[in-house]
């Protein structure tokens, strides 16, 4: 069965479409208007390359070697040497989805027509995507200016038949991977090497997939919180609309409305209408304020990414209308670096408040339930160490939330004297998302045990649907067992989207 088609034009790519390409759910083609722009910009580069005037990256060296003129006969070797010398990354390869996103984002910026790439080079990149040839790109080695040089150089290696690539999931020498896919490497012409390595596409590739995951986790945090609230017989009153209308932060209002939808139809709330408790702890009562602030932080990160993935981040930029090729600084990753630092901090707050709710569940002096929710506490430890694991993940997330965007280590003999550390911010945020998912899985697992004690009275429609799905995968803990298996099972329900789908169907 043929896959749906995605046209890219350099201007209108959506984050959701990047996720589709990362998952290999669509084929990618160049929009006709973009193809025309690419040809026009290439014609101007060819004109300049044929002349004698120095032009950065076309007939000069790079970085602090920009004043070194290169003979016309050496222009091909100049571009090849650029790719080879800049492929200095280390560490694990980017996961396949992130590497596919990286390749797509590079195609999209080239499609804008400001890079001077040849049509055949861009077409090779698109065919690699469609035929599942995915470059091996080490995670580390970028300081975020002149963009993500090392990761993009590893991506470009495959274009010239060097380096390594995955073909249909198998890691191979690049030339062999291309051959199996029915493709041939290219010989780079003037400026093409530079057009392939300048830009913020690596931090954006990791950042975009992180952003999509973070938005899911924001919904899951609300769900986990409602499960805990119902398990602890908490009040629904702090979520009434009037409270949030008078402090109108968008994320807070969105979260409160989401909590109300999830909790609608609760029978449990009717069981404690006249209880003596006046107020719930902040981790329950202030979910709209804390989760909402995280949502606002993620909204900021989304806006930055939506702009960046459709921006010209090459250097120099080729302006056809004015026939100018101009050096600038659009490759600097500071906007993305700051946004992804905010995303990491937002996620850390979701995990931190989740861990505090787990403490409310397992601490008998706070919950009114058996110690650590164990059926025979003392003989059984119950969920004692689940809370410890959550605390460990939160502690590490707090360390990872130290912002990369305020750091800078000058490079290239002082020419690149302020850098963004954007890829560092992306990798840190990605790890925080992984920890946050695990913290929320732990909370849901523990909250399900609390809801066991409240049955047969039903929770609100959202938490009740989550409880029932979890119980189909993970039975009630009657006596101690290996908790890591249960945490993994709930984590899989979150990652697969199965939990979200079940709750949406119920709500």
């Amino acid at each position: 069965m043929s896959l749906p088609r995605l046209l890219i034009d350099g201007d209108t790519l959506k984050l959701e479409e990047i996720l589709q390409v990362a998952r290999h759910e669509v084929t990618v083609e160049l929009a006709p208007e973009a193809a025309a722009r690419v040809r026009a910009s290439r014609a101007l580069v060819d004109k300049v390359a044929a002349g004698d005037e120095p032009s950065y990256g076309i007939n000069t060296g790079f970085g602090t070697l920009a004043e070194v003129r290169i003979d016309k006969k050496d222009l091909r070797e100049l571009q090849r040497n650029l790719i080879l010398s800049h492929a200095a990354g280390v560490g694990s390869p980017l996961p396949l989805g992130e590497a596919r996103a990286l390749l797509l984002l590079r195609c999209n910026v080239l499609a804008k027509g400001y890079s001077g790439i040849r049509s055949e080079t861009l077409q090779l990149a698109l065919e690699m995507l469609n035929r599942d040839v995915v470059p091996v790109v080490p995670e580390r080695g970028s300081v975020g200016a002149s963009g993500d040089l090392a990761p993009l150089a590893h991506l470009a290696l495959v274009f010239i038949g060097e380096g390594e690539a995955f073909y249909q999931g198998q890691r191979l020498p690049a030339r062999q991977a291309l051959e199996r896919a029915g493709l041939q490497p290219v010989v780079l012409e003037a400026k093409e090497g530079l057009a392939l390595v300048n830009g913020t596409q690596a931090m954006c590739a990791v950042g975009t997939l992180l952003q999509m995951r973070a938005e899911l986790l924001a919904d899951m945090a609300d769900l986990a919180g409602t499960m805990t609230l119902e398990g602890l017989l908490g009040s629904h009153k702090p979520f009434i609309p009037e409270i949030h209308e008078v402090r109108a932060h968008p994320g807070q209002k969105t979260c409160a409305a989401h909590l109300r939808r999830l909790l609608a139809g609760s029978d449990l709330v009717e069981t404690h209408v006249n209880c003596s408790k006046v107020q719930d702890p902040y981790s329950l009562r202030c979910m709209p304020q804390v989760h909402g602030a995280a949502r606002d932080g993620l909204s900021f990160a989304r806006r930055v990414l939506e702009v960046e993935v459709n921006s010209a981040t090459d250097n120099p930029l080729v302006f056809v209308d004015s026939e100018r090729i101009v050096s600038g600084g659009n490759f600097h990753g500071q906007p993305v670096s700051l946004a992804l630092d905010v995303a990491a901090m937002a996620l850390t707050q979701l995990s931190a408040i989740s861990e505090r709710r787990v403490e409310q569940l397992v601490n008998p002096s706070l919950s009114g339930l058996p110690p650590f929710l164990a059926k025979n506490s003392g003989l059984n430890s119950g969920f004692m160490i689940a809370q410890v694991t959550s605390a460990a993940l939160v502690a590490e997330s707090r360390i990872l939330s130290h912002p990369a965007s305020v750091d800078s280590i000058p490079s290239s003999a002082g020419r690149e004297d302020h850098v963004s550390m954007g890829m560092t911010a992306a990798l840190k945020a990605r790890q925080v998302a992984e920890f946050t998912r695990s913290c929320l899985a732990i909370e849901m697992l523990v909250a399900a045990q609390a809801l066991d004690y409240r049955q047969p009275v039903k929770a609100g429609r959202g938490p009740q649907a989550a409880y029932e799905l979890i119980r189909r995968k993970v039975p009630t803990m009657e006596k101690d067992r290996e908790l890591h298996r249960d945490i993994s099972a709930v984590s899989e329900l979150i990652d697969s989207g199965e939990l979200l789908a079940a709750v949406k169907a119920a709500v």
Side-chain angles (χ1 to χ4, degrees):
M1 184 179 71
S2 61
L3 296 173
R5 183 180 66 158
L6 171 65
L7 281 179
I8 62 168
D9 58 12
D11 298 321
T12 58
L13 186 63
K14 296 179 174 60
L15 303 191
E16 290 77 8
E17 291 170 336
I18 298 170
L19 181 60
Q20 286 181 306
V21 174
R23 293 173 173 173
H24 207 353
E25 295 173 348
V26 295
T27 59
V28 185
E29 295 181 19
L30 189 63
E33 64 273 20
R37 292 196 301 266
V38 169
R39 289 193 295 270
S41 70
R42 183 63 208 178
L44 180 56
V45 169
D46 287 338
K47 178 180 176 181
V48 171
D52 295 321
E53 286 295 316
S55 182
Y56 175 71
I58 295 178
N59 53 19
T60 74
F62 309 104
T64 50
L65 302 176
E67 283 71 38
V68 178
R69 284 292 304 274
I70 308 298
D71 290 338
K72 291 178 183 177
K73 66 181 178 61
D74 295 325
L75 293 187
R76 283 183 172 180
E77 186 177 359
L78 173 69
Q79 301 303 311
R80 179 179 173 84
N81 287 347
L82 173 68
I83 301 302
L84 295 174
S85 65
H86 284 48
V90 298
S92 302
L94 289 176
L96 288 176
E98 291 178 356
R100 286 182 58 81
L102 171 56
L103 184 54
L104 168 70
L105 292 176
R106 198 61 212 164
C107 290
N108 196 56
V109 72
L110 295 173
K112 293 185 73 68
Y114 296 106
S115 301
I117 200 80
R118 288 181 303 151
S119 297
E120 51 264 48
T121 305
L122 177 52
Q123 193 57 44
L124 172 62
L126 292 169
E127 286 302 320
M128 285 166 57
L129 267 177
N130 293 335
R131 303 189 196 190
D132 203 21
V133 178
V134 184
V136 173
V137 179
E139 288 184 341
R140 304 191 184 276
S142 171
V143 295
S146 301
D148 295 312
L149 291 172
L152 286 167
H154 282 275
L155 189 83
L157 279 177
V158 180
F159 292 36
I160 61 174
E162 303 293 344
E164 293 181 293
F166 295 98
Y167 175 61
Q168 296 182 348
Q170 183 181 0
R171 187 169 178 170
L172 299 167
R175 194 171 294 270
Q176 188 176 344
L178 290 171
E179 183 178 331
R180 290 194 184 183
L183 299 171
Q184 292 293 323
V186 295
V187 176
L188 299 178
E189 300 288 350
K191 195 190 180 295
E192 287 199 291
L194 197 58
L196 292 172
V197 301
N198 266 255
T200 58
Q201 285 69 52
M203 66 181 82
C204 284
V206 177
T208 295
L209 299 191
L210 167 277
Q211 176 70 24
M212 302 304 292
R213 191 179 197 190
E215 291 173 3
L216 167 66
L217 293 175
D219 284 341
M220 292 295 99
D222 292 349
L223 177 62
T226 61
M227 291 180 70
T228 298
L229 182 89
E230 293 284 73
L232 293 173
L233 303 182
S235 174
H236 295 195
K237 290 179 183 178
F239 315 134
I240 63 172
E242 294 91 327
I243 292 175
H244 308 287
E245 289 296 333
V246 296
R247 193 195 192 198
H249 291 295
Q252 179 176 331
K253 293 172 68 175
T254 297
C255 177
H258 190 215
L259 294 173
R260 291 194 300 271
R261 288 195 302 274
L262 292 169
L263 290 166
S266 172
D267 294 329
L268 272 172
V269 72
E270 303 299 329
T271 67
H272 55 96
V273 172
N274 298 314
C275 71
S276 60
K277 188 192 299 183
V278 177
Q279 292 182 329
D280 289 323
Y282 288 2
S283 59
L284 299 178
R285 193 186 349 153
C286 298
M287 284 191 285
Q289 291 78 11
V290 178
H291 293 195
R295 285 179 178 271
D296 286 337
L298 293 176
S299 293
F300 164 68
R302 172 178 270 270
R303 289 195 301 274
V304 171
L305 288 166
E306 286 173 337
V307 170
E308 190 73 6
V309 300
N310 290 298
S311 294
T313 56
D314 203 347
N315 184 58
L317 290 167
V318 179
F319 296 100
V320 173
D321 291 344
S322 59
E323 292 198 345
R324 299 174 73 193
I325 299 178
V326 187
S327 288
N330 279 3
F331 48 65
H332 200 295
Q334 199 66 35
V336 181
S337 184
L338 177 61
L340 296 180
D341 277 340
V342 170
M345 288 186 275
L347 288 168
T348 295
Q349 285 306 310
L350 293 179
S351 63
I353 195 170
S354 171
E355 183 275 330
R356 287 294 80 200
R357 290 193 295 262
V358 173
E359 170 67 10
Q360 293 286 330
L361 287 164
V362 300
N363 187 331
S365 65
L366 300 173
S367 69
L369 293 167
F372 307 108
L373 302 181
K375 289 296 181 76
N376 186 358
S377 56
L379 177 63
N380 293 304
S381 295
F383 291 93
M384 179 190 295
I385 306 303
Q387 182 268 328
V388 173
T389 299
S390 184
L393 297 177
V394 170
E396 189 167 349
S397 293
R398 287 171 174 160
I399 294 168
L400 291 169
S401 290
H402 174 83
S405 57
V406 300
D407 206 348
S408 178
I409 295 181
S411 59
S412 193
R415 181 65 60 96
E416 297 165 6
D417 60 346
H418 183 279
V419 299
S420 73
M421 296 297 174
M423 189 61 168
T424 305
L427 295 172
K428 290 196 304 95
R430 180 226 275 165
Q431 184 62 71
V432 171
E434 185 75 10
F435 291 162
T436 302
R437 187 282 319 275
S438 295
C439 286
L440 295 175
I442 288 169
E443 182 182 359
M444 291 179 186
L445 182 65
V446 178
Q449 187 84 356
L451 288 170
D452 285 331
Y453 287 101
R454 308 302 182 189
Q455 297 302 301
V457 184
K458 290 189 175 181
R461 285 193 284 268
Q464 184 66 28
Y467 165 77
E468 291 174 359
L469 177 58
I470 289 169
R471 280 291 167 258
R472 288 199 292 272
K473 303 288 185 179
V474 181
T476 299
M477 185 192 285
E478 300 292 347
K479 60 181 181 178
D480 285 347
R481 60 177 183 246
E482 296 177 58
L483 276 179
H484 67 93
R485 301 183 192 278
D486 296 350
I487 296 169
S488 294
V490 180
S491 296
E492 174 58 28
L493 289 176
I494 295 172
D495 288 340
S496 67
E498 189 177 353
L499 187 56
L500 179 65
V503 170
K504 280 188 173 180
V507 171

